């Protein structure tokens, strides 16, 4: 098999859907995370969110997957972060064939994966559709505007000097 293609075991839901878990979290100096996204990198709906048992850096949300969905994996050691985006190219039985991709996906997915890998003893999902639906649209827009700096307008004379 080429080095950019590998297989990954899948989980089955009670109804028989093929699924992957969002999992991971951080330790003192290291961390890792795996998120599942739509083909464009948007969050997917989880069919089960674990709330009991051993949750620390373990499986948090069961998400159904289809061919074309992406898996964002992060491996962190101190401040060095390795990010890998892979696309599911085939599903056969309880195994998915995934291929590393350079396609552009939503930047929020990558940021969420890095944040999850830094969350010490993470016990919750970070990138599922339910989390984004809970926040009212107006509040989400306010949060986005906080991240954007105040625009600076230049006069024509100042623009030529830059």
């Amino acid at each position: 098999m080429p080095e950019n293609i590998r297989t990954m075991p899948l989980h089955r839901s009670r109804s028989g859907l093929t699924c992957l878990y969002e999992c991971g979290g951080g330790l003192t100096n290291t961390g890792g995370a795996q998120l599942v996204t739509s083909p464009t990198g948007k969050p997917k709906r989880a069919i089960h969110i674990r709330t009991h048992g051993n949750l620390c850096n373990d499986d948090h949300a069961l998400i159904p997957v289809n061919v074309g969905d992406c898996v964002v994996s992060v491996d962190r050691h101190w401040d060095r972060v390795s990010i890998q985006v892979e696309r599911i190219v085939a599903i056969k039985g309880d195994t998915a064939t995934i291929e590393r991709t350079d396609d552009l996906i939503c930047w929020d997915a990558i940021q969420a994966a890095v944040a999850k890998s830094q969350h010490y003893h993470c016990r919750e999902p970070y990138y599922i559709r339910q989390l984004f639906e809970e926040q009212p649209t107006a509040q989400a827009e306010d949060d986005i505007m906080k991240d954007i700096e105040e625009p600076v307008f230049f006069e024509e004379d100042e623009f030529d000097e830059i």
Side-chain angles (χ1 to χ4, degrees), residues 34-44 68-74 83-88 99-114 127:
Q34 173 182 295
L35 303 182
V36 180
T37 72
S38 70
T40 58
K42 299 294 182 189
K44 293 189 71 164
D69 288 342
C70 290
V71 178
V72 179
S73 303
V74 169
I83 301 166
Q84 189 168 355
V85 179
E86 298 169 307
R87 187 170 308 280
I88 298 174
E99 179 179 27
R100 195 172 308 147
T101 182
D102 293 330
D103 294 345
L104 297 177
I105 67 164
C106 184
W107 178 244
D108 291 340
I110 294 171
Q111 287 180 320
V114 171
Y127 200 68

Side-chain angles (χ1 to χ4, degrees), residues 106-151:
C106 184
W107 178 244
D108 291 340
I110 294 171
Q111 287 180 320
V114 171
K116 188 173 183 82
S117 75
Q118 294 171 339
H119 185 162
Y120 186 72
H121 288 185
C122 182
R123 293 174 170 84
E124 61 194 28
Y126 262 61
Y127 200 68
I128 57 174
R129 190 182 305 167
Q130 289 93 323
L131 294 176
F132 291 89
E133 289 175 354
E134 289 174 3
Q135 193 176 37
T137 306
Q139 180 63 41
E141 288 175 357
D142 290 343
D143 291 346
I144 290 169
M145 293 310 290
K146 286 179 191 174
D147 294 338
I148 299 174
E149 295 179 8
E150 191 67 33

